[in-house]
Amino acid sequence: MKVIQGMEYESFLKELAKCNVLVFHPLDKDTAPRVVIEAKLLGLELDLNDNVQIKNESWLNGTHEELLAHLKSQQESFWKHIKL
């Protein structure tokens, strides 16, 4: 087990990419933790608790292509729901 902390973003991703599994058990609800999404994009297995609220989303648990398609669609979805 390795704890990764206290480094620049790019260095963090490089260290994360060397891992096989991300264990992420936040103590409180976390709707869509970026680290989980990035770990999944890097091909890591995920060990998540129920506080990770995207844990059971089909786009997170689907293929790499499905995850990318979902993420790319979110910008359009965001602007459809914002009232300026």
Side-chain angles (χ1 to χ4, degrees):
M1 183 194 313
K2 179 193 307 188
V3 176
I4 303 173
Q5 63 183 15
M7 56 182 65
E8 297 290 325
Y9 174 70
E10 190 173 321
S11 298
F12 171 78
L13 288 180
K14 287 179 181 178
E15 278 302 306
L16 187 61
K18 296 176 187 176
C19 300
N20 296 316
V21 178
L22 171 72
V23 177
F24 189 70
H25 293 189
L27 298 177
D28 203 357
K29 302 288 186 208
D30 200 337
T31 55
R34 181 175 175 168
V35 68
V36 170
I37 295 168
E38 290 173 335
K40 185 68 174 188
L41 286 169
L42 289 169
L44 279 67
E45 291 181 42
L46 303 175
D47 180 339
L48 310 172
N49 69 7
D50 289 335
N51 286 333
V52 178
Q53 295 180 319
I54 60 171
K55 177 181 177 178
N56 297 314
E57 295 290 331
S58 61
W59 54 267
L60 182 68
N61 296 300
T63 65
H64 187 29
E65 292 75 20
E66 289 170 329
L67 175 55
L68 286 175
H70 172 77
L71 294 173
K72 289 177 180 179
S73 74
Q74 292 310 290
Q75 181 178 5
E76 183 178 318
S77 174
F78 174 82
W79 288 111
K80 284 181 182 178
H81 294 92
I82 296 297
K83 305 223 185 309
L84 298 176

